[in-house]
Amino acid sequence: MLKTRFTELFGIEHPIVQGGMQWVGRAELVSAVANAGALGFITALTQPSPEALAREIARCREMTDRPFGVNLTILPALKAPPYAEYRQAIVESGVRIVETAGNNPQEHIDALHVHGVKVIHKCTSVRHAVKAEKIGADAISIDGFECAGHPGEDDIPGLILIPAAADKVSIPMIASGGFGDARGLVAALALGAEGINMGTRFMCTVESPIHQRVKEQIVANDERATDLILRTLRNTSRVARNAVSQQVVAIEQQGGATIDDLRDLVSGQRGRVVYEQGDPEFGIWSAGMVQGLIHDIPTCAQLVSRIVREAEEIIASRLGRMIATA
Ligand SMILES: Cc1cc2nc3c(=O)[nH]c(=O)nc-3n(C[C@H](O)[C@H](O)[C@H](O)COP(=O)(O)O)c2cc1C
């Protein structure tokens, strides 16, 4: 067992988290992660309405009696989803942990704290981590440049970002982006984190509710198989490299592209079809550099127990033996 301030604060067995994932963070995966003793998050905006989210939370509860949370991603949008109503559904469903991401979570932290809900804010820079602590977040998830999804615009990899944030933040912090095995977990703990958050790795498990062919593509891909899209619009996203992502990059390299030029190519609905129908070339889908460390499709229980067991071995044996006594 690895006990950290993070496992203590959230009442979980292992210092491992499955962060929010659009179209992937559904009850099947989240309950399997919870049953494995880790902390999973249902992705609120994958559900079409707050009522549907409440039903998804209830469905998850039928499959586990362990703690799990809900991710509320607050992205700038012309037509914003009804965040306050999603938040209300979370509170009324009795969920006690929320992962916020994407924007300043102040309003949500204040409202959730009134109901005793703890908030982990996921961010991609030291300054945002410091701010989140200041406005009351209970924990931080710090997402390095390696990560799938939105790495921000600073391009600071975890090897620097994690200890830099650990130096400035005193609430429990977990490391995110590029983690997939025991070596990463031990490294994160050494760098000052109290656990790890994994997206791509959990996406490639038996219980992950996406098409088998996408999981097989992740196994086949190596660490170079990602692209950074929407860089020129300062809304960078790390996605699995395919013909569509390459086309987006090529258009952006020509200069002057607007979101209207790219909207059809980067459409989330096309990404959803990738996960549902299993054609990895159909649209944009998220995956990180950690694909290079993913070689199998285990159950969540196998994955979590393997990571914890091997991490204990690394700490107690391999690293321990390196301390010279003379
Ligand atoms: C398919 C997919 C969808 C994601 N969607 C979201 C999301 O909706 N909200 C969010 O906060 N993070 C999202 N993420 C980011 C993950 O929560 C996590 O921070 C990231 O995957 C960590 O990097 P890793 O993939 O290298 O483990 C997504 C990641 C993936 C792989």
Side-chain angles (χ1 to χ4, degrees):
M1 283 267 282
L2 293 169
K3 202 165 108 179
T4 71
R5 287 198 297 149
F6 189 84
T7 59
E8 297 283 282
L9 182 60
F10 293 100
I12 49 168
E13 212 176 318
H14 305 302
I16 299 176
V17 170
Q18 166 257 308
M21 284 186 276
Q22 183 66 337
W23 310 130
V24 183
R26 300 176 190 267
E28 288 77 10
L29 177 60
V30 175
S31 60
V33 170
N35 288 332
L39 179 59
F41 285 89
I42 289 178
T43 307
L45 301 185
T46 292
Q47 301 303 323
S49 66
E51 297 73 34
L53 175 61
R55 286 195 295 276
E56 189 70 1
I57 293 169
R59 215 163 65 79
C60 193
R61 221 171 251 129
E62 278 166 20
M63 293 186 266
T64 186
D65 52 15
R66 304 259 189 118
F68 62 88
V70 174
N71 164 285
L72 192 60
T73 302
I74 334 150
L75 288 175
L78 282 179
K79 219 175 103 218
Y83 291 119
E85 291 170 33
Y86 275 100
R87 194 179 65 220
Q88 191 62 20
I90 295 168
V91 169
E92 284 172 5
S93 299
V95 168
R96 311 299 288 168
I97 310 169
V98 164
E99 176 192 62
T100 53
N103 217 327
N104 185 331
Q106 171 94 68
E107 169 199 343
H108 302 290
I109 291 178
D110 293 347
L112 289 164
H113 276 176
V114 169
H115 300 279
V117 178
K118 292 195 175 79
V119 178
I120 303 172
H121 183 61
K122 187 168 63 188
C123 53
T124 58
S125 71
V126 176
R127 64 189 185 284
H128 289 140
V130 169
K131 179 79 189 285
E133 173 169 43
K134 204 167 150 208
I135 62 177
D138 299 280
I140 299 293
S141 185
I142 193 93
D143 224 348
F145 184 52
E146 302 89 337
C147 74
H150 292 275
E153 310 301 327
D154 292 346
D155 302 356
I156 310 295
L159 199 55
I160 304 298
L161 187 64
I162 300 158
D167 283 345
K168 294 274 173 60
V169 163
S170 54
I171 52 177
M173 185 188 79
I174 56 170
S176 178
F179 294 99
D181 62 24
R183 296 167 298 184
L185 172 55
V186 175
L189 298 175
L191 292 171
E194 312 263 343
I196 51 170
N197 174 48
M198 306 192 296
T200 308
R201 179 61 274 198
F202 274 119
M203 194 181 164
C204 193
T205 56
V206 170
E207 296 91 346
S208 163
I210 62 170
H211 201 286
Q212 180 72 10
R213 273 204 297 275
V214 180
K215 299 178 192 178
E216 287 164 5
Q217 187 65 53
I218 292 174
V219 172
N221 282 349
D222 69 16
E223 62 278 10
R224 296 165 303 169
T226 70
D227 274 315
L228 292 172
I229 62 164
L230 306 183
R231 279 244 98 158
T232 54
L233 303 180
R234 293 190 63 76
N235 186 21
T236 302
S237 201
R238 186 181 296 285
V239 300
R241 174 169 292 174
N242 62 13
V244 185
S245 69
Q246 293 269 278
Q247 199 183 337
V248 174
V249 169
I251 293 171
E252 289 194 78
Q253 276 169 355
Q254 285 164 15
T258 67
I259 188 62
D260 289 330
D261 300 322
L262 302 170
R263 198 182 305 278
D264 288 345
L265 288 170
V266 304
S267 135
Q269 290 307 322
R270 277 178 70 170
R272 181 181 190 169
V273 173
V274 170
Y275 300 130
E276 285 175 3
Q277 297 182 9
D279 175 3
E281 294 292 323
F282 188 80
I284 293 292
W285 54 285
S286 295
M289 292 173 158
V290 73
Q291 288 179 114
L293 303 178
I294 295 176
H295 310 300
D296 62 358
I297 308 171
T299 64
C300 289
Q302 287 165 341
L303 178 65
V304 170
S305 67
R306 178 172 80 197
I307 291 178
V308 173
R309 188 185 65 246
E310 291 181 6
E312 287 169 353
E313 276 167 24
I314 294 172
I315 296 167
S317 303
R318 183 162 179 271
L319 298 183
R321 280 200 306 273
M322 287 177 185
I323 301 175
T325 46

